[in-house]
Amino acid sequence: MRTLSINKVCVVGLGYVGLPTAAVIASCGVSVLGADLKRDVVETINRGDIHIVEPDLKATIADAVADGFLRAATEPEPADVFILAVPTPLTDGKADVSYVEAAARSIAPQLRPGNIVIVESTCPPGTTERLTQILADLRADLRLPSGRNEPCDIFVAYCPERVLPGRVLTELVENNRVIGGVSDECSRRAVQFYSIFCKGVLQTTDARTAEMCKLAENAFRDVNIAYANELSIVCDRLGVDVWELIRLANGHPRVNILQPGPGVGGHCVAVDPWFIVEAAPHEARIIRTAREINDGKPAWVIEKVRAALAGRAAPITVACLGLAFKADVDDLRESPALHIVEELAMWADLELRVCEPFVNELPRSLARRANVTMVASGERALDGADVVLLLVNHSQFARIPREALTGKTVVDTRGVWCPRRSDTAASFRNRSAAPTRAKGGSLSEEFLLVEPNA
Ligand code: SAJ
């Protein structure tokens, strides 16, 4: 097989996927131009700094910029490979592919024979074929690929990102990848490109299957989380400790139940399954129901808080621990924690003390509320609080000593302080050392766990 010569890569979109991807390629000694419409993002990166939180990313970007392998600009430039990594939001319940179409239009004038165009944004099935048609319409002088494997000048493939926020730099290199070329030659060339920095298996298929594969992976996770969330609600009704139940069930060699929480957030798992529902509304029944269960969880948590407040004299101080969509990230997109705190902020006679260690200031929706203040640590939030609402299992919160919860009503949506869960090892070694549980499943001598058993 002829080896490609790749001297320059242009990454369009410098967000949670595009920026780390640009960094990893640049750190392999390939010249990378990152294009982003946002001037402040471009300036930040050219200073060797970053605008998102991701472990080790800052140092990798700083090195790549200092070594001259990474540069950012507001417009794409000619390159050997173009990667489109722009958002595909859900707008009015439908996949909004306008950014990815605009990105395709922005690279069209730069295309030269031999170029590879790779779409990494999450897309509904058929999008890569449509983008290929857009490029063909804009560049009638170039032969774009078709599924018929005819000779072409530009090679187009869909290759979804699969990285987990918090582990992005590792997973970009280690994960297996699915590469869906518009033609077989497109797949072959894309494989050669990804071989530069990927250690995982590169599996080839057609573009439509690769698009559906990405959606199916995130819908699979959503369905499994919905199962855990439904179990937590069922267990609450039945007076069973869901965290212990899951730990025990997962001892079965073929059972692996995920963890319940306050709902599903982020820009992927909470969004992508809807693309499948939109594409096959009558057939995608479990997928739709899972979305509804997970979307309904914040309202259930809010009812738990209402129960925790009952009978207390106003004003009541609630410590809200976490706003991010999951542990140890700064991302507030589609965050159920944020949604819950926004709702509580509208209630009369509540003082909310919010701690989100990964964000410097309150989001605008909360900053304008006089009854909401931000504090720097979990312990500060707890000081004088009547109710403690744990929404995100940030490592910092797991380190809060249990004594700090004494006398407070606790709504622990992540099971961080669940006695049987956190004392699992100890309780196996010495059952009598495990905390004792009062009637109703609560640790009433020390603190009350409203969720899951009250
Ligand atoms: N969550 C639970 N319980 C769990 C696991 C997760 O409630 O047991 C919640 C999280 O708190 C969060 C949401 O689900 O609110 C999503 O978090 P996540 O860690 O499951 O996934 P993301 O959104 O960070 O990343 C997912 C990953 N997809 C899969 O695991 C199939 C990642 O590999 C994808 O690259 C990413 O979506 C993406 O960009 O599509």
Side-chain angles (χ1 to χ4, degrees), residues 17 31 45 52 60 62 70 82 85 130 141 149 180 184 226 231 238 256 274 284 292 305 354 368 390-391 396:
V17 171
S31 175
I45 289 154
I52 55 177
T60 313
L70 177 63
F82 292 86
R130 258 202 320 284
D141 56 319
N149 284 324
D184 295 345
L231 266 185
L238 302 179
N256 185 15
W274 287 120
E292 288 166 354
V305 176
V354 177
R368 59 194 167 87
L390 185 127
L391 293 164
Q396 186 196 99

mmCIF file with all atom_site columns, all heavy atoms in Angstrom, residues 17 31 45 52 60 62 70 82 85 130 141 149 180 184 226 231 238 256 274 284 292 305 354 368 390-391 396:
data_model
loop_
_atom_site.group_PDB
_atom_site.id
_atom_site.type_symbol
_atom_site.label_atom_id
_atom_site.label_alt_id
_atom_site.label_comp_id
_atom_site.label_asym_id
_atom_site.label_entity_id
_atom_site.label_seq_id
_atom_site.pdbx_PDB_ins_code
_atom_site.Cartn_x
_atom_site.Cartn_y
_atom_site.Cartn_z
_atom_site.occupancy
_atom_site.B_iso_or_equiv
_atom_site.pdbx_formal_charge
_atom_site.auth_seq_id
_atom_site.auth_comp_id
_atom_site.auth_asym_id
_atom_site.auth_atom_id
_atom_site.pdbx_PDB_model_num
ATOM 1   N N   . VAL A 1 17  ? -13.395 18.113 21.594  1.00 0.00 ? 17  VAL A N   1
ATOM 2   C CA  . VAL A 1 17  ? -12.806 17.045 20.783  1.00 0.00 ? 17  VAL A CA  1
ATOM 3   C C   . VAL A 1 17  ? -11.728 17.592 19.857  1.00 0.00 ? 17  VAL A C   1
ATOM 4   O O   . VAL A 1 17  ? -10.620 17.072 19.776  1.00 0.00 ? 17  VAL A O   1
ATOM 5   C CB  . VAL A 1 17  ? -13.914 16.336 19.965  1.00 0.00 ? 17  VAL A CB  1
ATOM 6   C CG1 . VAL A 1 17  ? -13.311 15.368 18.959  1.00 0.00 ? 17  VAL A CG1 1
ATOM 7   C CG2 . VAL A 1 17  ? -14.860 15.616 20.896  1.00 0.00 ? 17  VAL A CG2 1
ATOM 8   N N   . SER A 1 31  ? 2.434   19.242 11.436  1.00 0.00 ? 31  SER A N   1
ATOM 9   C CA  . SER A 1 31  ? 1.997   20.637 11.549  1.00 0.00 ? 31  SER A CA  1
ATOM 10  C C   . SER A 1 31  ? 0.466   20.699 11.555  1.00 0.00 ? 31  SER A C   1
ATOM 11  O O   . SER A 1 31  ? -0.178  20.126 10.673  1.00 0.00 ? 31  SER A O   1
ATOM 12  C CB  . SER A 1 31  ? 2.574   21.408 10.357  1.00 0.00 ? 31  SER A CB  1
ATOM 13  O OG  . SER A 1 31  ? 2.078   22.698 10.384  1.00 0.00 ? 31  SER A OG  1
ATOM 14  N N   . ILE A 1 45  ? -5.324  29.883 22.391  1.00 0.00 ? 45  ILE A N   1
ATOM 15  C CA  . ILE A 1 45  ? -4.493  28.744 21.973  1.00 0.00 ? 45  ILE A CA  1
ATOM 16  C C   . ILE A 1 45  ? -3.140  29.235 21.454  1.00 0.00 ? 45  ILE A C   1
ATOM 17  O O   . ILE A 1 45  ? -2.103  28.641 21.756  1.00 0.00 ? 45  ILE A O   1
ATOM 18  C CB  . ILE A 1 45  ? -5.260  27.888 20.947  1.00 0.00 ? 45  ILE A CB  1
ATOM 19  C CG1 . ILE A 1 45  ? -6.379  27.176 21.702  1.00 0.00 ? 45  ILE A CG1 1
ATOM 20  C CG2 . ILE A 1 45  ? -4.349  26.884 20.250  1.00 0.00 ? 45  ILE A CG2 1
ATOM 21  C CD1 . ILE A 1 45  ? -7.531  26.800 20.908  1.00 0.00 ? 45  ILE A CD1 1
ATOM 22  N N   . ILE A 1 52  ? -10.676 25.118 27.977  1.00 0.00 ? 52  ILE A N   1
ATOM 23  C CA  . ILE A 1 52  ? -11.500 24.058 28.574  1.00 0.00 ? 52  ILE A CA  1
ATOM 24  C C   . ILE A 1 52  ? -10.663 23.347 29.638  1.00 0.00 ? 52  ILE A C   1
ATOM 25  O O   . ILE A 1 52  ? -9.457  23.536 29.685  1.00 0.00 ? 52  ILE A O   1
ATOM 26  C CB  . ILE A 1 52  ? -11.974 23.033 27.509  1.00 0.00 ? 52  ILE A CB  1
ATOM 27  C CG1 . ILE A 1 52  ? -10.767 22.459 26.743  1.00 0.00 ? 52  ILE A CG1 1
ATOM 28  C CG2 . ILE A 1 52  ? -12.976 23.638 26.565  1.00 0.00 ? 52  ILE A CG2 1
ATOM 29  C CD1 . ILE A 1 52  ? -11.144 21.392 25.733  1.00 0.00 ? 52  ILE A CD1 1
ATOM 30  N N   . THR A 1 60  ? 0.195   19.890 27.024  1.00 0.00 ? 60  THR A N   1
ATOM 31  C CA  . THR A 1 60  ? 0.382   19.377 25.656  1.00 0.00 ? 60  THR A CA  1
ATOM 32  C C   . THR A 1 60  ? 0.236   20.506 24.639  1.00 0.00 ? 60  THR A C   1
ATOM 33  O O   . THR A 1 60  ? 1.017   20.615 23.691  1.00 0.00 ? 60  THR A O   1
ATOM 34  C CB  . THR A 1 60  ? -0.650  18.261 25.360  1.00 0.00 ? 60  THR A CB  1
ATOM 35  O OG1 . THR A 1 60  ? -0.671  17.369 26.461  1.00 0.00 ? 60  THR A OG1 1
ATOM 36  C CG2 . THR A 1 60  ? -0.305  17.494 24.103  1.00 0.00 ? 60  THR A CG2 1
ATOM 37  N N   . ALA A 1 62  ? 0.620   23.776 25.272  1.00 0.00 ? 62  ALA A N   1
ATOM 38  C CA  . ALA A 1 62  ? 1.734   24.722 25.456  1.00 0.00 ? 62  ALA A CA  1
ATOM 39  C C   . ALA A 1 62  ? 2.975   24.227 24.712  1.00 0.00 ? 62  ALA A C   1
ATOM 40  O O   . ALA A 1 62  ? 3.631   25.002 23.993  1.00 0.00 ? 62  ALA A O   1
ATOM 41  C CB  . ALA A 1 62  ? 2.033   24.893 26.946  1.00 0.00 ? 62  ALA A CB  1
ATOM 42  N N   . LEU A 1 70  ? 1.695   23.612 16.381  1.00 0.00 ? 70  LEU A N   1
ATOM 43  C CA  . LEU A 1 70  ? 0.272   23.957 16.477  1.00 0.00 ? 70  LEU A CA  1
ATOM 44  C C   . LEU A 1 70  ? 0.072   25.456 16.446  1.00 0.00 ? 70  LEU A C   1
ATOM 45  O O   . LEU A 1 70  ? 0.763   26.210 17.132  1.00 0.00 ? 70  LEU A O   1
ATOM 46  C CB  . LEU A 1 70  ? -0.326  23.400 17.787  1.00 0.00 ? 70  LEU A CB  1
ATOM 47  C CG  . LEU A 1 70  ? -1.797  23.762 18.044  1.00 0.00 ? 70  LEU A CG  1
ATOM 48  C CD1 . LEU A 1 70  ? -2.715  23.164 16.975  1.00 0.00 ? 70  LEU A CD1 1
ATOM 49  C CD2 . LEU A 1 70  ? -2.232  23.283 19.424  1.00 0.00 ? 70  LEU A CD2 1
ATOM 50  N N   . PHE A 1 82  ? -8.273  17.339 6.450   1.00 0.00 ? 82  PHE A N   1
ATOM 51  C CA  . PHE A 1 82  ? -9.181  18.248 7.162   1.00 0.00 ? 82  PHE A CA  1
ATOM 52  C C   . PHE A 1 82  ? -10.039 17.408 8.106   1.00 0.00 ? 82  PHE A C   1
ATOM 53  O O   . PHE A 1 82  ? -10.612 16.400 7.681   1.00 0.00 ? 82  PHE A O   1
ATOM 54  C CB  . PHE A 1 82  ? -10.093 18.983 6.181   1.00 0.00 ? 82  PHE A CB  1
ATOM 55  C CG  . PHE A 1 82  ? -9.361  19.953 5.298   1.00 0.00 ? 82  PHE A CG  1
ATOM 56  C CD1 . PHE A 1 82  ? -8.781  19.517 4.108   1.00 0.00 ? 82  PHE A CD1 1
ATOM 57  C CD2 . PHE A 1 82  ? -9.240  21.289 5.663   1.00 0.00 ? 82  PHE A CD2 1
ATOM 58  C CE1 . PHE A 1 82  ? -8.090  20.408 3.301   1.00 0.00 ? 82  PHE A CE1 1
ATOM 59  C CE2 . PHE A 1 82  ? -8.550  22.187 4.861   1.00 0.00 ? 82  PHE A CE2 1
ATOM 60  C CZ  . PHE A 1 82  ? -7.962  21.742 3.668   1.00 0.00 ? 82  PHE A CZ  1
ATOM 61  N N   . ALA A 1 85  ? -14.720 18.928 13.430  1.00 0.00 ? 85  ALA A N   1
ATOM 62  C CA  . ALA A 1 85  ? -15.074 18.551 14.810  1.00 0.00 ? 85  ALA A CA  1
ATOM 63  C C   . ALA A 1 85  ? -15.886 19.685 15.427  1.00 0.00 ? 85  ALA A C   1
ATOM 64  O O   . ALA A 1 85  ? -15.505 20.258 16.448  1.00 0.00 ? 85  ALA A O   1
ATOM 65  C CB  . ALA A 1 85  ? -13.808 18.267 15.615  1.00 0.00 ? 85  ALA A CB  1
ATOM 66  N N   . ARG A 1 130 ? -24.242 13.565 2.509   1.00 0.00 ? 130 ARG A N   1
ATOM 67  C CA  . ARG A 1 130 ? -24.749 14.904 2.141   1.00 0.00 ? 130 ARG A CA  1
ATOM 68  C C   . ARG A 1 130 ? -23.617 15.929 2.112   1.00 0.00 ? 130 ARG A C   1
ATOM 69  O O   . ARG A 1 130 ? -23.565 16.797 1.236   1.00 0.00 ? 130 ARG A O   1
ATOM 70  C CB  . ARG A 1 130 ? -25.834 15.356 3.120   1.00 0.00 ? 130 ARG A CB  1
ATOM 71  C CG  . ARG A 1 130 ? -27.224 15.191 2.542   1.00 0.00 ? 130 ARG A CG  1
ATOM 72  C CD  . ARG A 1 130 ? -28.272 16.073 3.191   1.00 0.00 ? 130 ARG A CD  1
ATOM 73  N NE  . ARG A 1 130 ? -28.142 16.192 4.623   1.00 0.00 ? 130 ARG A NE  1
ATOM 74  C CZ  . ARG A 1 130 ? -28.497 15.247 5.497   1.00 0.00 ? 130 ARG A CZ  1
ATOM 75  N NH1 . ARG A 1 130 ? -29.016 14.111 5.058   1.00 0.00 ? 130 ARG A NH1 1
ATOM 76  N NH2 . ARG A 1 130 ? -28.353 15.437 6.775   1.00 0.00 ? 130 ARG A NH2 1
ATOM 77  N N   . ASP A 1 141 ? -14.665 21.255 -10.017 1.00 0.00 ? 141 ASP A N   1
ATOM 78  C CA  . ASP A 1 141 ? -13.373 20.926 -10.643 1.00 0.00 ? 141 ASP A CA  1
ATOM 79  C C   . ASP A 1 141 ? -12.726 19.684 -10.028 1.00 0.00 ? 141 ASP A C   1
ATOM 80  O O   . ASP A 1 141 ? -11.727 19.196 -10.556 1.00 0.00 ? 141 ASP A O   1
ATOM 81  C CB  . ASP A 1 141 ? -12.410 22.120 -10.491 1.00 0.00 ? 141 ASP A CB  1
ATOM 82  C CG  . ASP A 1 141 ? -12.235 22.536 -9.027  1.00 0.00 ? 141 ASP A CG  1
ATOM 83  O OD1 . ASP A 1 141 ? -13.243 22.559 -8.273  1.00 0.00 ? 141 ASP A OD1 1
ATOM 84  O OD2 . ASP A 1 141 ? -11.087 22.798 -8.612  1.00 0.00 ? 141 ASP A OD2 1
ATOM 85  N N   . ASN A 1 149 ? -17.111 3.390  -5.680  1.00 0.00 ? 149 ASN A N   1
ATOM 86  C CA  . ASN A 1 149 ? -15.670 3.119  -5.734  1.00 0.00 ? 149 ASN A CA  1
ATOM 87  C C   . ASN A 1 149 ? -15.011 3.559  -7.041  1.00 0.00 ? 149 ASN A C   1
ATOM 88  O O   . ASN A 1 149 ? -14.098 2.904  -7.540  1.00 0.00 ? 149 ASN A O   1
ATOM 89  C CB  . ASN A 1 149 ? -15.378 1.630  -5.486  1.00 0.00 ? 149 ASN A CB  1
ATOM 90  C CG  . ASN A 1 149 ? -15.508 1.308  -3.998  1.00 0.00 ? 149 ASN A CG  1
ATOM 91  O OD1 . ASN A 1 149 ? -15.154 2.128  -3.155  1.00 0.00 ? 149 ASN A OD1 1
ATOM 92  N ND2 . ASN A 1 149 ? -16.038 0.146  -3.700  1.00 0.00 ? 149 ASN A ND2 1
ATOM 93  N N   . GLY A 1 180 ? -15.516 5.020  8.608   1.00 0.00 ? 180 GLY A N   1
ATOM 94  C CA  . GLY A 1 180 ? -16.498 4.751  7.560   1.00 0.00 ? 180 GLY A CA  1
ATOM 95  C C   . GLY A 1 180 ? -16.233 5.609  6.339   1.00 0.00 ? 180 GLY A C   1
ATOM 96  O O   . GLY A 1 180 ? -16.648 6.765  6.283   1.00 0.00 ? 180 GLY A O   1
ATOM 97  N N   . ASP A 1 184 ? -14.233 2.587  -0.537  1.00 0.00 ? 184 ASP A N   1
ATOM 98  C CA  . ASP A 1 184 ? -13.211 1.754  0.121   1.00 0.00 ? 184 ASP A CA  1
ATOM 99  C C   . ASP A 1 184 ? -11.862 2.473  0.173   1.00 0.00 ? 184 ASP A C   1
ATOM 100 O O   . ASP A 1 184 ? -11.137 2.389  1.166   1.00 0.00 ? 184 ASP A O   1
ATOM 101 C CB  . ASP A 1 184 ? -13.053 0.416  -0.628  1.00 0.00 ? 184 ASP A CB  1
ATOM 102 C CG  . ASP A 1 184 ? -14.316 -0.419 -0.537  1.00 0.00 ? 184 ASP A CG  1
ATOM 103 O OD1 . ASP A 1 184 ? -15.174 -0.100 0.318   1.00 0.00 ? 184 ASP A OD1 1
ATOM 104 O OD2 . ASP A 1 184 ? -14.464 -1.368 -1.332  1.00 0.00 ? 184 ASP A OD2 1
ATOM 105 N N   . ALA A 1 226 ? -30.489 4.491  32.207  1.00 0.00 ? 226 ALA A N   1
ATOM 106 C CA  . ALA A 1 226 ? -31.929 4.571  32.493  1.00 0.00 ? 226 ALA A CA  1
ATOM 107 C C   . ALA A 1 226 ? -32.355 3.388  33.356  1.00 0.00 ? 226 ALA A C   1
ATOM 108 O O   . ALA A 1 226 ? -33.181 3.518  34.259  1.00 0.00 ? 226 ALA A O   1
ATOM 109 C CB  . ALA A 1 226 ? -32.725 4.598  31.189  1.00 0.00 ? 226 ALA A CB  1
ATOM 110 N N   . LEU A 1 231 ? -34.188 1.657  38.474  1.00 0.00 ? 231 LEU A N   1
ATOM 111 C CA  . LEU A 1 231 ? -34.006 0.811  39.670  1.00 0.00 ? 231 LEU A CA  1
ATOM 112 C C   . LEU A 1 231 ? -33.980 1.659  40.933  1.00 0.00 ? 231 LEU A C   1
ATOM 113 O O   . LEU A 1 231 ? -34.538 1.277  41.960  1.00 0.00 ? 231 LEU A O   1
ATOM 114 C CB  . LEU A 1 231 ? -32.675 0.064  39.583  1.00 0.00 ? 231 LEU A CB  1
ATOM 115 C CG  . LEU A 1 231 ? -32.648 -1.340 38.995  1.00 0.00 ? 231 LEU A CG  1
ATOM 116 C CD1 . LEU A 1 231 ? -31.240 -1.917 39.134  1.00 0.00 ? 231 LEU A CD1 1
ATOM 117 C CD2 . LEU A 1 231 ? -33.661 -2.251 39.667  1.00 0.00 ? 231 LEU A CD2 1
ATOM 118 N N   . LEU A 1 238 ? -39.558 0.676  47.392  1.00 0.00 ? 238 LEU A N   1
ATOM 119 C CA  . LEU A 1 238 ? -39.599 -0.596 48.115  1.00 0.00 ? 238 LEU A CA  1
ATOM 120 C C   . LEU A 1 238 ? -38.743 -0.617 49.372  1.00 0.00 ? 238 LEU A C   1
ATOM 121 O O   . LEU A 1 238 ? -38.652 -1.649 50.043  1.00 0.00 ? 238 LEU A O   1
ATOM 122 C CB  . LEU A 1 238 ? -39.161 -1.728 47.177  1.00 0.00 ? 238 LEU A CB  1
ATOM 123 C CG  . LEU A 1 238 ? -39.997 -1.892 45.893  1.00 0.00 ? 238 LEU A CG  1
ATOM 124 C CD1 . LEU A 1 238 ? -39.448 -3.028 45.048  1.00 0.00 ? 238 LEU A CD1 1
ATOM 125 C CD2 . LEU A 1 238 ? -41.468 -2.133 46.225  1.00 0.00 ? 238 LEU A CD2 1
ATOM 126 N N   . ASN A 1 256 ? -23.770 -6.192 34.861  1.00 0.00 ? 256 ASN A N   1
ATOM 127 C CA  . ASN A 1 256 ? -22.953 -4.994 35.101  1.00 0.00 ? 256 ASN A CA  1
ATOM 128 C C   . ASN A 1 256 ? -23.855 -3.760 35.056  1.00 0.00 ? 256 ASN A C   1
ATOM 129 O O   . ASN A 1 256 ? -23.934 -3.071 34.037  1.00 0.00 ? 256 ASN A O   1
ATOM 130 C CB  . ASN A 1 256 ? -21.834 -4.891 34.064  1.00 0.00 ? 256 ASN A CB  1
ATOM 131 C CG  . ASN A 1 256 ? -20.908 -3.730 34.363  1.00 0.00 ? 256 ASN A CG  1
ATOM 132 O OD1 . ASN A 1 256 ? -20.933 -3.177 35.474  1.00 0.00 ? 256 ASN A OD1 1
ATOM 133 N ND2 . ASN A 1 256 ? -20.117 -3.328 33.388  1.00 0.00 ? 256 ASN A ND2 1
ATOM 134 N N   . TRP A 1 274 ? -31.528 10.867 20.668  1.00 0.00 ? 274 TRP A N   1
ATOM 135 C CA  . TRP A 1 274 ? -32.641 11.534 19.982  1.00 0.00 ? 274 TRP A CA  1
ATOM 136 C C   . TRP A 1 274 ? -32.437 11.528 18.468  1.00 0.00 ? 274 TRP A C   1
ATOM 137 O O   . TRP A 1 274 ? -33.411 11.565 17.707  1.00 0.00 ? 274 TRP A O   1
ATOM 138 C CB  . TRP A 1 274 ? -32.817 12.981 20.460  1.00 0.00 ? 274 TRP A CB  1
ATOM 139 C CG  . TRP A 1 274 ? -33.391 13.114 21.843  1.00 0.00 ? 274 TRP A CG  1
ATOM 140 C CD1 . TRP A 1 274 ? -32.807 13.714 22.910  1.00 0.00 ? 274 TRP A CD1 1
ATOM 141 C CD2 . TRP A 1 274 ? -34.676 12.650 22.310  1.00 0.00 ? 274 TRP A CD2 1
ATOM 142 N NE1 . TRP A 1 274 ? -33.624 13.653 24.011  1.00 0.00 ? 274 TRP A NE1 1
ATOM 143 C CE2 . TRP A 1 274 ? -34.784 13.016 23.673  1.00 0.00 ? 274 TRP A CE2 1
ATOM 144 C CE3 . TRP A 1 274 ? -35.730 11.962 21.708  1.00 0.00 ? 274 TRP A CE3 1
ATOM 145 C CZ2 . TRP A 1 274 ? -35.903 12.707 24.439  1.00 0.00 ? 274 TRP A CZ2 1
ATOM 146 C CZ3 . TRP A 1 274 ? -36.855 11.659 22.474  1.00 0.00 ? 274 TRP A CZ3 1
ATOM 147 C CH2 . TRP A 1 274 ? -36.929 12.031 23.820  1.00 0.00 ? 274 TRP A CH2 1
ATOM 148 N N   . ALA A 1 284 ? -37.744 3.124  17.315  1.00 0.00 ? 284 ALA A N   1
ATOM 149 C CA  . ALA A 1 284 ? -36.780 3.328  18.414  1.00 0.00 ? 284 ALA A CA  1
ATOM 150 C C   . ALA A 1 284 ? -37.506 3.493  19.748  1.00 0.00 ? 284 ALA A C   1
ATOM 151 O O   . ALA A 1 284 ? -37.492 4.558  20.364  1.00 0.00 ? 284 ALA A O   1
ATOM 152 C CB  . ALA A 1 284 ? -35.903 4.540  18.116  1.00 0.00 ? 284 ALA A CB  1
ATOM 153 N N   . GLU A 1 292 ? -36.578 9.363  28.128  1.00 0.00 ? 292 GLU A N   1
ATOM 154 C CA  . GLU A 1 292 ? -37.618 9.958  28.974  1.00 0.00 ? 292 GLU A CA  1
ATOM 155 C C   . GLU A 1 292 ? -37.362 9.656  30.450  1.00 0.00 ? 292 GLU A C   1
ATOM 156 O O   . GLU A 1 292 ? -37.540 10.520 31.303  1.00 0.00 ? 292 GLU A O   1
ATOM 157 C CB  . GLU A 1 292 ? -38.998 9.458  28.526  1.00 0.00 ? 292 GLU A CB  1
ATOM 158 C CG  . GLU A 1 292 ? -39.403 10.093 27.198  1.00 0.00 ? 292 GLU A CG  1
ATOM 159 C CD  . GLU A 1 292 ? -40.583 9.426  26.511  1.00 0.00 ? 292 GLU A CD  1
ATOM 160 O OE1 . GLU A 1 292 ? -41.053 8.359  27.001  1.00 0.00 ? 292 GLU A OE1 1
ATOM 161 O OE2 . GLU A 1 292 ? -41.018 9.940  25.477  1.00 0.00 ? 292 GLU A OE2 1
ATOM 162 N N   . VAL A 1 305 ? -35.913 16.658 47.430  1.00 0.00 ? 305 VAL A N   1
ATOM 163 C CA  . VAL A 1 305 ? -35.492 17.858 48.171  1.00 0.00 ? 305 VAL A CA  1
ATOM 164 C C   . VAL A 1 305 ? -36.715 18.469 48.861  1.00 0.00 ? 305 VAL A C   1
ATOM 165 O O   . VAL A 1 305 ? -36.649 18.865 50.032  1.00 0.00 ? 305 VAL A O   1
ATOM 166 C CB  . VAL A 1 305 ? -34.827 18.884 47.219  1.00 0.00 ? 305 VAL A CB  1
ATOM 167 C CG1 . VAL A 1 305 ? -34.482 20.166 47.967  1.00 0.00 ? 305 VAL A CG1 1
ATOM 168 C CG2 . VAL A 1 305 ? -33.575 18.288 46.587  1.00 0.00 ? 305 VAL A CG2 1
ATOM 169 N N   . VAL A 1 354 ? -23.727 27.154 46.750  1.00 0.00 ? 354 VAL A N   1
ATOM 170 C CA  . VAL A 1 354 ? -23.325 26.253 45.662  1.00 0.00 ? 354 VAL A CA  1
ATOM 171 C C   . VAL A 1 354 ? -21.812 26.111 45.627  1.00 0.00 ? 354 VAL A C   1
ATOM 172 O O   . VAL A 1 354 ? -21.087 27.104 45.648  1.00 0.00 ? 354 VAL A O   1
ATOM 173 C CB  . VAL A 1 354 ? -23.821 26.811 44.296  1.00 0.00 ? 354 VAL A CB  1
ATOM 174 C CG1 . VAL A 1 354 ? -23.343 25.927 43.146  1.00 0.00 ? 354 VAL A CG1 1
ATOM 175 C CG2 . VAL A 1 354 ? -25.334 26.936 44.295  1.00 0.00 ? 354 VAL A CG2 1
ATOM 176 N N   . ARG A 1 368 ? -27.687 35.758 38.757  1.00 0.00 ? 368 ARG A N   1
ATOM 177 C CA  . ARG A 1 368 ? -28.619 36.871 38.939  1.00 0.00 ? 368 ARG A CA  1
ATOM 178 C C   . ARG A 1 368 ? -29.598 36.633 40.092  1.00 0.00 ? 368 ARG A C   1
ATOM 179 O O   . ARG A 1 368 ? -30.438 37.479 40.383  1.00 0.00 ? 368 ARG A O   1
ATOM 180 C CB  . ARG A 1 368 ? -29.361 37.157 37.633  1.00 0.00 ? 368 ARG A CB  1
ATOM 181 C CG  . ARG A 1 368 ? -30.145 36.005 37.084  1.00 0.00 ? 368 ARG A CG  1
ATOM 182 C CD  . ARG A 1 368 ? -30.546 36.273 35.625  1.00 0.00 ? 368 ARG A CD  1
ATOM 183 N NE  . ARG A 1 368 ? -31.028 35.076 34.977  1.00 0.00 ? 368 ARG A NE  1
ATOM 184 C CZ  . ARG A 1 368 ? -32.279 34.673 35.020  1.00 0.00 ? 368 ARG A CZ  1
ATOM 185 N NH1 . ARG A 1 368 ? -33.179 35.405 35.656  1.00 0.00 ? 368 ARG A NH1 1
ATOM 186 N NH2 . ARG A 1 368 ? -32.646 33.558 34.430  1.00 0.00 ? 368 ARG A NH2 1
ATOM 187 N N   . LEU A 1 390 ? -26.165 16.508 47.343  1.00 0.00 ? 390 LEU A N   1
ATOM 188 C CA  . LEU A 1 390 ? -24.985 16.133 46.554  1.00 0.00 ? 390 LEU A CA  1
ATOM 189 C C   . LEU A 1 390 ? -25.433 15.738 45.146  1.00 0.00 ? 390 LEU A C   1
ATOM 190 O O   . LEU A 1 390 ? -26.194 14.801 44.958  1.00 0.00 ? 390 LEU A O   1
ATOM 191 C CB  . LEU A 1 390 ? -24.220 14.971 47.187  1.00 0.00 ? 390 LEU A CB  1
ATOM 192 C CG  . LEU A 1 390 ? -22.937 14.719 46.384  1.00 0.00 ? 390 LEU A CG  1
ATOM 193 C CD1 . LEU A 1 390 ? -21.722 14.712 47.277  1.00 0.00 ? 390 LEU A CD1 1
ATOM 194 C CD2 . LEU A 1 390 ? -23.016 13.476 45.551  1.00 0.00 ? 390 LEU A CD2 1
ATOM 195 N N   . LEU A 1 391 ? -24.936 16.498 44.159  1.00 0.00 ? 391 LEU A N   1
ATOM 196 C CA  . LEU A 1 391 ? -25.391 16.292 42.779  1.00 0.00 ? 391 LEU A CA  1
ATOM 197 C C   . LEU A 1 391 ? -24.320 15.714 41.868  1.00 0.00 ? 391 LEU A C   1
ATOM 198 O O   . LEU A 1 391 ? -24.634 15.098 40.863  1.00 0.00 ? 391 LEU A O   1
ATOM 199 C CB  . LEU A 1 391 ? -25.881 17.633 42.205  1.00 0.00 ? 391 LEU A CB  1
ATOM 200 C CG  . LEU A 1 391 ? -27.152 18.163 42.866  1.00 0.00 ? 391 LEU A CG  1
ATOM 201 C CD1 . LEU A 1 391 ? -27.364 19.633 42.551  1.00 0.00 ? 391 LEU A CD1 1
ATOM 202 C CD2 . LEU A 1 391 ? -28.356 17.338 42.429  1.00 0.00 ? 391 LEU A CD2 1
ATOM 203 N N   . GLN A 1 396 ? -13.374 15.692 45.162  1.00 0.00 ? 396 GLN A N   1
ATOM 204 C CA  . GLN A 1 396 ? -13.284 16.564 46.339  1.00 0.00 ? 396 GLN A CA  1
ATOM 205 C C   . GLN A 1 396 ? -14.424 16.285 47.330  1.00 0.00 ? 396 GLN A C   1
ATOM 206 O O   . GLN A 1 396 ? -14.212 16.279 48.537  1.00 0.00 ? 396 GLN A O   1
ATOM 207 C CB  . GLN A 1 396 ? -13.340 18.033 45.889  1.00 0.00 ? 396 GLN A CB  1
ATOM 208 C CG  . GLN A 1 396 ? -13.117 19.011 47.002  1.00 0.00 ? 396 GLN A CG  1
ATOM 209 C CD  . GLN A 1 396 ? -13.560 20.419 46.645  1.00 0.00 ? 396 GLN A CD  1
ATOM 210 O OE1 . GLN A 1 396 ? -14.645 20.853 47.005  1.00 0.00 ? 396 GLN A OE1 1
ATOM 211 N NE2 . GLN A 1 396 ? -12.700 21.149 45.938  1.00 0.00 ? 396 GLN A NE2 1
#
